[in-house]
């Protein structure tokens, strides 16, 4: 249950690109073959370990549909990381990246780490966007890039963890003001000054599953 | 001020008595100044004056001044003073209370209390107006932030849904509001809690955004700062706000659990022992318990509830709650709520159930808390709500708790001879036959929970005998059946009938024991046949019917006179199928059935109307159809037999179906083949037809060509004849052949026959060296043959 840091993530991108599936694969190690349209925002969490430190990822999966845009924008401001997802089998989702990026940059804090994800890499035969194009876009806009498959779980783990690593490094470099919660970073209970009586090594059995 | 009043009257149609300016005029002039004066100071003064008039002339100020005030908000942001006047004025005109000094024209008098709402509607029609108010909330100056906060509170009070939607879509609207929770000025912080509660109510999207914006963290900070459960009303407000964030929202609940906020509840439950309970503490604790119950509610998805139950155990909440149950001096209401909370903390969760089971009271000797609770349940001096809560707690303790269920039954068995300590089982067993009908009802329902999904327990319970001086004491079953017959208390009967239904369902052995009891079934038939006016008696009859139905559906076929067929016959003859069904429907139509089916927690307005139980209603719904089927089965077709014969029939049909399937496949193949053939031959026919057509065309063309050649030949012949080279004979032949195409039927005419023959037999005799000469000698058929050879067809 205890953690050194908590990072808030958001997942954004067009509807149907596989945002919810990526989250589900990451938190529950499952794949959902039908499109369960996200209404507004959904939430998931998992504990990972970076540099031997337990880090809690608090992930907010937003709805890609245009109708929810004004709601989902409320989540940009307080996020430390964002996964910007497109679908490699649908070029239009790649074409919309610029709009997404502008939106994110406008509403988020400037240090937010953005990871570009080309999802559905298992559908090689239906590919419409070359890997090189994704790489080029990422390079041009200063993003980290990765192709994933929420279906086979290929690179899913890495996508979330690499984002966390990036954030962690920024913290080490002192880029993030970790005491400002609006940055999407929270210091774990026993790491903050004061109110903790049991330092570290919390061996209470942790409920179940993912954290 | 008198002239204002008269002035307004003139506006409203009362005869004008003097020509002093009316209130409306004055308001109009002020509005004019607010809108058009170029000097800020002037506008500010006008605004202040408007504010002063807005109680008395609310309608005028609202109707004429709204736009001007919004314009001030828009354009005079830099000046805190005028902004605060504008905000306050808007607040005054949208307020719902009627001011003492307010001038209310008669026309609007009847819904003058809706004026505030009307003006709110007008104000928010322009969504930007709400955005303006939000902007002012960011202003730190108290004179601005405070009226802006109050105005927004008012907007939300008057038009919650619309304002929520507007704030939701205005950029960062929700996020701005949360920042006010950190305002060091208490009045702002406290009111922003209320504001956020209104904003959040039944809007899942806003609830999630606030969770994202760390609302829980901040609320717990405030609660801690204010002294937890012993803090003031702010603590209660914070807890209610938290409840609003969590209620009916699985996402925020999940977030709450994942964020380990459950453990932050604990300090709120750690209360000094033997302490007084001031009213504020009662309210605070009540709110905490609502939060806990929301997280472990039986209506949540099972997985969510059980992981929260687990977390409650791990974080010490369960322990703290159980401590509360045995603590001294806890007032009745929080204690009742605490019992219900513990109920839901353990419901269906085996670890938590065993935890509860082991909790002991503080006194010496210490007793099991469950026993103590049941004691209060069976005590008619205890408040009704609390007794209900205990029943709920016990039900939840046994829910899906096989071990606990068996423990209860085991303790009743004769083997367990000398039990010195009172145990739950004995309490309940005694309670069954209590003089107070509510007690017996509680005991019956409680005990029935030990039998749900417990086939073994149902059979074991048949061996239970009641302790008495009688050398041959009655069994529990006999005692229940006889007490149903001897009592005249409906609630008592209902409790016991529900108990029997649960016991008999899916247990032929229990049905057998029942059928063997003298005067069992006959009494039930009489009961079912009674005509009753009272609803409560309808339920008694319906349940008696139901028990009979169960005896039919789970008939053991071992008791003479009450085998399935006889029982069915008896019911059909003595009650009638229609009446039987009506009686059952009386139960499910009853209001207490609807109420009981809604939620596992037993509730009723008063002790007399507590009649049906949640699990029983589930059983009733499940068995109703089965009973009707058992009743409508043809005589001689017992379920068992019927099943076997059905199975046989099904097997036969299956075989037939398989045969038919193979046959069908064959037929289908054959048909396909035939179709293919038909298609092929159709193709052939078509091909032949085109061929024929082509040939006919060719034929005509050749005939034509032949004619041309013939004509040519003829001209040569004439030429030759002219020169005397051609003899008569060929000439004659020529004539003949000229007609030939048209006159072929005449071909065999006597005159020419020899010639013809001769030509045929010795074609070479007529030797001109030219083939062309022969050709005309051939008949049509032969010619066609020739043509065909030419064409190679
Ligand atoms: N083959 C394949 N299908 C995927 C993959 N990821 C998602 N899908 C499918 O794509 C569809 C949409 O996935 P979601 O995760 O629901 O899409 P979303 O981005 O959350 O969509 P919104 O909630 O509307 O914004 C579903 O039918 C998924 O099964 C993947 O990696 N490979
Ligand atoms: Mg989704």
């Amino acid at each position: 249950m205890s953690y050194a840091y908590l990072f808030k993530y958001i997942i954004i991108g067009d509807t149907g690109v596989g945002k919810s599936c990526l989250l589900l694969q990451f938190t529950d190690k499952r794949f959902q073959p039908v499109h369960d349209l996200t209404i507004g925002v959904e939430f998931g969490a998992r504990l990972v370990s970076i540099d031997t430190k337990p880090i809690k990822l608090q992930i907010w999966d937003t709805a890609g549909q245009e109708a929810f845009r004004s709601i989902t924008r409320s989540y940009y401001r307080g996020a430390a990381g964002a996964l910007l997802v497109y679908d490699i089998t649908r070029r239009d989702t790649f074409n919309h990246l610029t709009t997404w990026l502008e939106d994110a940059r406008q509403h988020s804090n400037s240090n937010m780490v953005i990871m570009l994800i080309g999802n559905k890499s298992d559908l090689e035969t239906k590919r419409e966007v070359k890997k090189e194009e994704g790489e080029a876009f990422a390079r041009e806009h200063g993003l980290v890039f990765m192709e994933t498959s929420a279906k086979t779980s290929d690179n899913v783990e890495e996508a979330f963890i690499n984002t966390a690593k990036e954030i962690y490094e920024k913290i080490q470099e002192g880029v993030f003001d970790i005491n400002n919660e609006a940055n999407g970073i929270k210091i774990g209970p026993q790491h903050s000054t004061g109110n903790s009586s049991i330092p570290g090594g919390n061996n209470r059995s942790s409920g179940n599953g993912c954290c | 001020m008198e002239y204002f009043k008269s002035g307004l009257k003139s506006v409203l149609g009362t005869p004008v008595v003097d020509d002093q300016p009316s209130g409306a005029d004055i308001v109009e002039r002020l509005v004019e100044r607010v809108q058009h004066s170029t000097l800020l100071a002037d506008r500010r003064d006008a605004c202040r004056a408007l504010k002063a008039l807005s109680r008395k002339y609310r309608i005028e100020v609202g109707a004429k001044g709204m736009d001007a005030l919004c314009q001030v908000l828009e354009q005079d942001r830099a000046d805190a003073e005028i902004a605060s006047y504008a905000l306050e004025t808007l607040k005054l005109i949208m307020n719902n209370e009627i001011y003492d000094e307010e001038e209310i024209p008669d026309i609007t008098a009847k819904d003058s209390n809706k004026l505030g709402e009307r003006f709110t509607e007008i104000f928010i029609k322009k969504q930007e107006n709400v955005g303006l108010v939000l902007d002012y909330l960011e202003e730190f100056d108290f004179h601005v932030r405070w009226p802006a906060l109050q105005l927004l509170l008012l907007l939300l009070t008057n038009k919650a849904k619309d304002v929520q939607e507007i704030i939701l879509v205005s950029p960062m609207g929700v996020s701005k509001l949360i920042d006010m929770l950190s305002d060091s000025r208490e009045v702002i912080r406290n009111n922003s809690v209320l504001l956020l509660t209104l904003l959040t109510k039944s809007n899942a999207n806003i609830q999630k955004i606030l969770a994202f914006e760390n609302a829980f963290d901040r609320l717990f900070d405030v609660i801690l700062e204010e002294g937890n459960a012993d803090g003031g009303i702010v603590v209660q407000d914070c807890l209610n706000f938290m409840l609003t964030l969590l209620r009916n929202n699985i996402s925020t609940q999940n977030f709450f659990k994942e964020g380990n906020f459950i453990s932050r509840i604990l300090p709120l439950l750690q209360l000094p022992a033997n302490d007084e309970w001031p009213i504020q503490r009662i309210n605070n604790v009540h709110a905490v318990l609502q939060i806990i119950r929301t997280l472990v509610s039986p209506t949540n998805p099972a997985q969510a509830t059980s992981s929260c139950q687990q977390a409650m155990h791990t974080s010490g909440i369960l322990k703290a709650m159980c401590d509360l149950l045995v603590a001294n001096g806890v007032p009745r209401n929080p204690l009742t709520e605490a019992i219900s909370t513990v109920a839901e903390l353990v419901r269906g969760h085996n670890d938590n159930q065993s935890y509860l089971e082991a909790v002991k009271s503080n006194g010496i000797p210490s007793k099991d808390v469950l026993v103590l609770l049941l004691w209060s349940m069976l005590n008619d001096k205890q408040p009704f709500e609390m007794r209900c809560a205990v029943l709920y707690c016990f039900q939840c303790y046994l829910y899906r708790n096989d071990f606990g269920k068996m423990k209860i039954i085991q303790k009743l068995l004769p083997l367990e001879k000398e039990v010195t300590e009172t145990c739950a089982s004995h309490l309940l067993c005694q309670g069954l036959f209590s003089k107070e009908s509510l007690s017996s009802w509680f005991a019956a329902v409680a005990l029935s929970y030990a039998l749900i999904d417990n086939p073994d327990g149902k059979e074991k319970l048949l061996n239970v005998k009641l302790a008495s001086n009688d050398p041959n004491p009655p069994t529990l079953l006999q005692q229940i059946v006889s007490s149903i017959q001897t009592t005249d208390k409906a609630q008592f009967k209902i409790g016991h009938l529900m108990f029997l239904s649960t016991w008999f369902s899916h247990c032929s052995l229990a049905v057998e024991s029942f059928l063997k009891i003298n005067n069992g079934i006959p009494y039930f038939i009489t009961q079912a046949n009674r005509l009753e006016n009272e609803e409560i008696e309808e339920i008694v009859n319906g349940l008696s019917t139901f028990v009979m139905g169960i005896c039919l559906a789970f008939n053991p076929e071992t008791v003479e006179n009450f085998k399935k067929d006889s029982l069915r016959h008896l019911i059909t003859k003595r009650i009638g199928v229609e009446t039987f069904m009506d009686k059952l429907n009386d139960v499910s139509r009853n209001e207490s059935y609807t109420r009981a089916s809604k939620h596992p927690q037993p509730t009723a307005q008063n002790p007399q109307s507590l009649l049906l139980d949640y699990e029983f209603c589930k059983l009733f719904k499940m068995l109703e159809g089965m009973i009707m089927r058992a009743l409508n089965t043809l005589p001689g077709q017992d379920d068992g037999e019927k099943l076997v014969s059905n199975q046989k029939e099904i097997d036969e049909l299956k075989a037939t179906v398989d045969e038919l399937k193979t046959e069908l496949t064959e037929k289908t193949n054959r048909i396909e083949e035939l179709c293919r053939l038909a298609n092929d031959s159709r193709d052939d026919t078509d091909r032949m037809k085109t061929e024929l057509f082509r040939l006919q065309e060719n034929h005509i063309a050749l005939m034509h060509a032949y004619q041309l050649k013939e004509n040519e030949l003829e001209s040569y012949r004439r030429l030759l004849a002219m020169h005397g080279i051609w003899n008569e004979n060929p000439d004659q032949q020529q004539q003949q052949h000229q007609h030939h195409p048209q006159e072929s039927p005449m071909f065999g005419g006597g005159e020419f026959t020899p010639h013809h023959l001769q030509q045929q037999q010795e074609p070479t005799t007529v030797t001109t060296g030219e083939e062309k000469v022969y050709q005309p000698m051939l008949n049509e058929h032969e010619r066609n043959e020739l043509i065909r050879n030419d064409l190679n067809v």
Side-chain angles (χ1 to χ4, degrees):
Chain A
M1 280 286 194
S2 71
Y3 50 82
Y5 293 107
L6 179 147
F7 296 163
K8 281 190 200 179
Y9 281 14
I10 49 169
I11 314 181
I12 53 175
D14 278 8
T15 180
V17 297
K19 300 182 292 298
S20 303
C21 287
L22 284 166
L23 177 60
L24 191 69
Q25 183 61 257
F26 182 62
T27 58
D28 288 31
K29 310 215 178 312
R30 281 193 293 130
F31 177 66
Q32 157 84 20
V34 265
H35 185 184
D36 224 343
L37 200 79
T38 305
I39 306 295
V41 176
E42 281 312 326
F43 162 79
R46 207 186 116 179
L47 199 65
V48 297
S49 156
I50 309 285
D51 191 20
T52 73
K53 292 221 165 55
I55 308 265
K56 182 134 187 169
L57 301 184
Q58 185 191 91
I59 305 152
W60 297 80
D61 164 36
T62 67
Q65 286 214 322
E66 185 63 40
F68 299 106
R69 206 57 54 86
S70 61
I71 294 176
T72 54
R73 276 195 195 112
S74 302
Y75 292 84
Y76 288 97
R77 182 181 79 154
L83 303 191
L84 171 54
V85 190
Y86 68 92
D87 178 349
I88 64 151
T89 69
R90 278 166 51 207
R91 175 155 295 276
D92 55 327
T93 67
F94 181 77
N95 294 341
H96 295 156
L97 286 178
T98 332
T99 325
W100 280 109
L101 202 59
E102 274 167 14
D103 218 31
R105 292 253 154 92
Q106 188 190 337
H107 293 98
S108 67
N109 73 70
S110 54
N111 289 319
M112 182 165 84
V113 172
I114 303 176
M115 161 80 78
L116 180 65
I117 306 274
N119 188 39
K120 307 199 186 178
S121 62
D122 55 295
L123 299 176
E124 196 53 54
T125 51
K126 292 189 186 162
R127 181 188 281 275
E128 284 181 9
V129 183
K130 284 203 217 79
K131 191 172 179 183
E132 293 72 30
E133 295 175 85
E135 282 165 348
F137 186 93
R139 213 176 310 115
E140 188 184 334
H141 295 92
L143 316 173
V144 191
F145 174 70
M146 211 168 246
E147 282 197 349
T148 61
S149 165
K151 187 176 181 184
T152 66
S153 87
D154 198 39
N155 265 346
V156 173
E157 202 68 14
E158 289 79 353
F160 285 91
I161 289 176
N162 289 358
T163 310
K165 276 186 187 147
E166 191 102 349
I167 297 169
Y168 186 79
E169 276 163 26
K170 280 195 172 185
I171 293 174
Q172 304 301 68
E173 291 162 13
V175 178
F176 269 119
D177 173 12
I178 47 174
N179 290 313
N180 181 357
E181 280 190 1
N183 280 332
I185 296 166
K186 214 167 111 179
I187 308 171
Q190 82 276 35
H191 292 257
S192 56
T193 48
N195 61 0
S196 171
S197 47
I198 329 146
N202 194 340
N203 53 8
R204 262 202 229 132
S205 73
S206 68
N208 56 347
C210 55
C211 29
Chain B
M1 279 289 148
E2 189 48 39
Y3 73 88
F4 272 143
K5 200 170 265 174
S6 56
L8 183 63
K9 276 188 188 132
S10 73
V11 169
L12 301 169
T14 326
V16 185
V17 275
D18 48 43
D19 50 0
Q20 280 173 309
S22 68
D25 290 340
I26 294 174
V27 169
E28 206 165 308
R29 240 169 276 159
L30 288 172
V31 168
E32 174 81 14
R33 269 171 68 196
V34 171
Q35 270 176 323
H36 299 298
S37 192
T38 45
L39 283 174
L40 174 64
D42 205 20
R43 291 201 300 276
R44 196 192 289 141
D45 283 348
C47 231
R48 189 198 295 125
L50 266 185
K51 182 192 150 196
L53 290 179
S54 56
R55 283 179 212 265
K56 187 160 184 179
Y57 300 117
R58 181 210 300 250
I59 298 186
E60 285 75 18
V61 176
K64 302 207 165 90
M66 178 90 74
D67 288 343
L69 292 166
C70 293
Q71 185 195 318
V72 168
L73 292 184
E74 172 101 51
Q75 291 167 2
D76 288 326
R77 284 173 205 241
D79 187 68
E81 200 181 339
I82 190 172
S84 85
Y85 291 143
L87 289 165
E88 278 173 23
T89 311
L90 284 166
K91 190 192 88 191
L92 286 171
I93 59 178
M94 287 183 225
N95 200 338
N96 276 318
E97 78 185 71
I98 300 167
Y99 304 112
D100 290 340
E101 66 267 47
E102 189 165 348
E103 292 279 350
I104 303 164
D106 295 340
I107 350 153
T108 55
K110 53 179 182 297
D111 36 43
S112 51
N113 56 336
K114 293 224 176 104
L115 272 180
E117 217 177 293
R118 295 252 180 86
F119 281 127
T120 307
E121 254 170 56
I122 297 170
F123 181 75
I124 64 174
K125 201 161 260 169
K126 273 173 80 184
Q127 299 201 356
E128 313 87 84
N129 288 343
V130 179
L132 286 173
V133 182
L134 285 174
D135 289 344
Y136 279 99
L137 273 178
E138 283 182 288
E139 212 67 53
F140 187 72
D141 186 344
F142 184 82
H143 297 289
V144 179
R145 188 177 266 198
W146 176 233
L149 177 60
Q150 283 180 302
L151 178 56
L152 199 55
L153 253 171
L154 204 56
L155 296 178
L156 277 163
T157 314
N158 291 347
K159 283 270 151 215
K161 281 235 144 46
D162 301 323
V163 178
Q164 282 177 345
E165 288 309 320
I166 296 172
I167 295 181
L168 189 58
V169 298
S170 65
M172 290 294 138
V174 180
S175 317
K176 277 175 201 162
L177 294 179
I178 189 92
D179 289 340
M180 289 196 304
L181 279 183
S182 328
D183 197 313
S184 56
R185 293 159 298 194
E186 272 192 25
V187 62
I188 298 229
R189 188 197 63 186
N190 298 355
N191 276 280
S192 61
V193 175
L194 298 178
L195 175 84
L196 286 164
T197 311
L198 282 178
L199 177 69
T200 310
K201 207 156 248 166
S202 40
N203 189 318
N205 283 319
I206 296 184
Q207 288 161 7
K208 285 188 228 173
I209 295 177
L210 286 170
F212 177 82
E213 292 284 355
N214 305 317
F216 292 123
D217 264 320
R218 298 189 194 205
L219 287 171
F220 275 116
D221 290 347
V222 175
I223 290 169
L224 184 70
E225 225 171 88
E226 294 293 319
N228 283 321
D230 286 318
I233 195 160
V234 194
V235 171
Q236 189 186 346
D237 289 342
C238 285
L239 290 167
N240 282 334
F241 174 32
M242 228 183 253
L243 191 60
T244 320
L245 288 174
L246 293 170
R247 192 167 268 163
N248 298 325
N249 190 332
I250 287 301
S251 290
T252 53
Q253 288 178 22
N254 181 28
F255 176 82
F256 192 88
K257 193 203 80 199
E258 288 292 340
N260 203 18
F261 290 108
I262 286 177
S263 64
R264 293 196 69 177
I265 296 176
L266 188 61
L268 280 153
L269 293 173
Q270 289 166 330
L271 305 164
N274 294 318
D275 212 357
E276 282 294 302
W277 279 68
I279 182 79
Q280 190 55 57
R281 183 202 269 192
I282 293 180
N283 291 342
N284 291 348
V285 169
H286 183 84
V288 175
L289 300 188
Q290 298 315 301
I291 291 174
I292 297 177
R293 292 188 66 180
T294 300
L295 293 166
V296 294
S297 163
T299 53
N300 284 351
Q303 213 281 321
T305 291
S306 92
S307 65
C308 281
Q309 285 170 325
Q310 183 63 47
M312 295 281 181
H313 192 150
T314 321
S315 57
I317 304 279
L318 179 64
K319 179 179 182 305
M321 286 305 304
C322 289
D323 290 348
L324 207 54
L325 293 190
V326 294
N328 288 327
V330 181
R332 181 171 120 179
N333 285 346
L335 182 59
T336 305
E337 198 58 31
I339 296 169
S340 301
T341 308
V342 170
E344 289 173 354
L345 281 172
V346 305
R347 188 173 191 269
H349 192 283
N350 291 159
D351 284 353
N352 293 8
Q353 285 163 335
S354 339
Y355 183 89
L356 173 63
E357 193 184 287
V359 175
K360 303 250 189 248
S361 70
N362 295 322
I364 303 167
S366 73
K367 292 211 166 62
D368 286 350
V369 73
L370 277 174
V371 173
L372 287 177
L373 285 173
L374 289 177
W375 217 308
S376 344
M377 180 180 83
L378 300 172
N379 180 349
D380 61 357
K381 303 276 183 316
Q382 294 291 344
F384 173 63
E385 285 76 20
M386 184 150 97
R387 299 174 72 188
C388 286
V390 175
L391 175 63
Y392 184 41
C393 188
F394 191 72
Q395 290 170 332
C396 292
Y397 159 67
L398 287 183
Y399 183 74
R400 303 220 169 134
N401 180 0
D402 293 342
F403 198 63
K405 287 176 197 168
M406 229 36 211
K407 251 189 199 164
I408 297 290
I409 305 288
Q410 214 83 45
K411 288 263 175 66
L412 292 172
L413 297 178
L415 303 174
E416 304 254 338
K417 263 287 179 297
E418 289 305 310
V419 191
T420 45
E421 220 186 319
T422 355
C423 64
S425 315
H426 289 174
L427 268 181
L428 291 176
C429 215
Q430 283 163 20
L432 273 180
F433 307 104
S434 161
K435 289 212 171 54
E436 193 221 0
S437 67
L438 182 60
S439 280
S440 77
W441 189 93
F442 278 135
V445 172
L447 211 49
S448 74
Y449 273 61
L451 295 178
I452 294 169
D453 293 330
N454 185 1
D456 197 25
K458 285 177 187 177
E459 293 187 1
K460 286 226 167 75
L461 199 64
L462 291 169
N463 302 323
V464 172
K465 289 190 172 172
L466 293 181
S468 81
N469 301 328
D470 198 326
N472 192 12
T475 63
L476 177 63
L477 179 60
Q478 283 166 338
Q479 189 62 36
I480 288 176
V481 173
S482 89
S483 60
I484 289 176
Q485 298 183 18
T486 48
T487 187
D488 55 357
K489 293 175 196 144
Q491 194 176 33
F492 182 103
K493 287 188 192 178
I494 290 172
H496 284 226
L497 288 169
M498 288 194 294
F499 181 69
L500 291 185
S501 311
T502 311
W503 196 352
F504 296 171
S505 61
H506 303 279
C507 183
S508 306
L509 214 58
V511 174
E512 182 182 68
S513 304
F514 170 68
L515 294 176
K516 280 180 179 160
I517 294 175
N518 282 338
N519 205 24
I521 282 288
Y523 171 80
F524 278 78
I525 293 209
T526 330
Q527 185 73 40
N529 260 335
R530 267 204 223 158
L531 280 175
E532 297 293 349
N533 297 324
E534 295 233 17
E535 261 188 33
I536 190 164
E537 294 294 338
E538 276 183 5
I539 298 185
V540 174
N541 297 352
L543 295 190
S544 308
T545 313
F546 185 59
V547 172
M548 262 187 296
I550 292 177
C551 292
L552 184 66
F554 300 97
N555 197 292
E557 299 284 12
T558 50
V559 185
E560 215 44 62
N561 295 330
F562 297 119
K563 289 187 180 175
K564 209 165 239 183
D565 279 345
S566 348
L567 197 53
R568 191 183 298 117
H569 182 72
L570 204 61
I571 291 172
T572 322
K573 211 179 82 195
R574 299 283 302 280
I575 304 175
V577 177
E578 287 289 313
T579 318
F580 189 91
M581 278 201 270
D582 287 347
K583 300 270 168 189
L584 288 185
N585 286 338
D586 281 345
V587 177
S588 48
R589 259 208 322 262
N590 196 285
E591 188 252 325
S592 59
Y593 183 91
T594 322
R595 178 157 26 83
S597 308
K598 255 184 215 142
H599 195 278
Q601 178 164 25
T603 54
Q605 243 122 43
N606 52 55
Q608 298 80 46
S609 50
L610 189 59
L611 299 174
L612 295 175
D613 164 70
Y614 176 79
E615 285 291 336
F616 170 77
C617 293
K618 259 167 63 177
L619 180 77
F620 188 91
K621 201 175 283 169
M622 214 161 66
L623 295 187
E624 214 182 351
M626 195 172 174
I627 289 172
M628 290 323 301
R629 250 175 285 128
L631 188 63
N632 288 322
T633 317
L634 292 172
Q637 265 199 312
D638 292 325
D639 267 5
E641 272 175 43
K642 204 178 167 191
L643 250 155
V644 173
S645 75
N646 273 353
Q647 193 53 48
K648 236 165 57 196
E649 207 173 308
I650 289 170
D651 288 343
E652 279 169 20
L653 284 175
K654 256 189 200 152
T656 323
V657 168
D658 282 345
E659 267 171 41
L660 287 174
K661 252 191 208 158
T662 349
E663 205 173 306
L664 187 66
T665 326
E666 275 169 25
K667 294 242 155 96
T668 318
N669 290 344
R670 182 83 194 116
I671 287 171
E672 272 173 18
E673 204 184 306
L674 288 175
C675 281
R676 218 173 19 248
L677 280 175
N679 275 339
D680 284 358
S681 45
R682 197 182 312 124
D683 284 356
D684 278 351
T685 321
D686 286 350
R687 214 172 331 116
M688 304 273 208
K689 267 186 194 156
T690 34
E691 196 59 61
L692 182 65
F693 181 73
R694 203 164 55 88
L695 289 177
Q696 281 167 347
E697 293 282 283
N698 265 332
H699 174 73
I700 293 165
L702 286 171
M703 286 298 280
H704 188 66
Y706 168 71
Q707 197 60 55
L708 285 177
K709 291 281 174 204
E710 196 67 32
N711 292 347
E712 197 182 335
L713 196 60
E714 172 64 16
S715 54
Y716 280 126
R717 253 185 231 127
R718 286 220 182 107
L719 204 61
L720 288 172
M722 260 197 289
H723 292 85
I725 302 166
W726 199 251
N727 60 19
E728 259 320 284
N729 215 4
D731 202 33
Q732 257 192 338
Q733 283 170 10
Q734 175 60 33
Q735 282 230 314
Q736 226 179 41
H737 290 301
Q738 256 183 329
H739 297 113
H740 176 229
Q742 294 86 16
E743 296 172 309
S744 59
M746 306 268 289
F747 198 68
E751 193 186 351
F752 300 109
T753 303
H755 219 146
H756 176 229
L757 280 174
Q758 189 188 16
Q759 288 290 332
Q760 269 198 324
Q761 282 159 358
E762 308 169 87
T764 41
T765 50
V766 191
T767 155
T768 56
E770 288 182 333
E771 276 187 330
K772 278 171 195 157
V773 185
Y774 296 106
Q775 280 180 358
M777 305 294 290
L778 305 173
N779 64 23
E780 190 176 7
H781 172 75
E782 289 162 332
R783 227 179 315 122
N784 278 345
E785 260 324 295
L786 241 172
I787 293 167
R788 194 163 293 172
N789 287 337
D790 277 358
L791 295 167
N792 276 327
V793 291

